Amino acid sequence: MNIARHLALIDELCFRPFPAEHGPSDVGDGGPGHHVVVLERSQGDCGARAATVEQYEKYRDALYELLALRWGETDPYNLQSVLLRTAREEIPEPWASLSARARVAHLWEAQGTGRWVAVAVADQDEADDVQLLAVVTEIDPP
């Protein structure tokens, strides 16, 4: 993991304009009011999935330590409760799709930007690669 590169990308996304429509971008995916980037991606080795999840959680926590120095310590944000809410209410993007992909995120309001930053490990879909994600959005968490 190149933590300096990941932090630089998160910093850039805190000021980059959002795309007008949902779709891929040069750094990941996005849509009105949000960017979603894959910082790290496993390469489909199912036998090592548990070890990959554990490693990516360590990467997420390392990013948390550095971002917490900037924006303060926060409690983990329970995305499973957000996922449960999608069955009975409209949850805005990127929160609805993030809750389907990850169980927990570290989340901050990035001071001076009007944006939220979340870092999470996407491991909910056994058929998909494990991913370390960063989300930058102007949409308040549900």
Side-chain angles (χ1 to χ4, degrees):
M1 175 176 85
N2 185 331
I3 200 162
R5 182 173 47 94
H6 296 336
L7 290 172
L9 181 56
I10 290 168
D11 288 342
E12 176 190 337
L13 294 177
C14 283
F15 296 98
R16 181 187 273 208
F18 295 114
E21 297 183 22
H22 292 282
S25 73
D26 63 324
V27 294
D29 291 312
H34 70 276
H35 300 287
V36 179
V37 296
V38 177
L39 301 174
E40 300 282 338
R41 174 189 306 268
S42 68
Q43 297 303 313
D45 183 358
C46 295
R49 185 175 183 87
T52 301
V53 169
E54 185 177 324
Q55 185 61 50
Y56 283 20
E57 287 172 345
K58 289 178 182 175
Y59 292 167
R60 179 200 61 208
D61 294 346
L63 285 167
Y64 169 82
E65 293 297 325
L66 293 171
L67 292 171
L69 291 173
R70 292 182 187 178
W71 298 319
E73 292 185 14
T74 61
D75 291 329
Y77 186 68
N78 184 348
L79 292 168
Q80 290 179 321
S81 64
V82 175
L83 181 61
L84 290 172
R85 290 172 52 196
T86 62
R88 62 182 188 281
E89 66 183 276
E90 182 85 17
I91 301 294
E93 290 300 334
W95 304 109
S97 60
L98 183 61
S99 71
R101 298 171 72 184
R103 289 183 266 278
V104 67
H106 291 298
L107 176 67
W108 300 267
E109 189 169 6
Q111 297 167 355
T113 69
R115 297 185 180 191
W116 292 90
V117 174
V119 180
V121 176
D123 66 337
Q124 293 291 79
D125 185 350
E126 294 285 330
D128 201 3
D129 292 337
V130 178
Q131 300 172 343
L132 177 64
L133 301 175
V135 174
V136 177
T137 181
E138 65 184 4
I139 301 159
D140 290 347

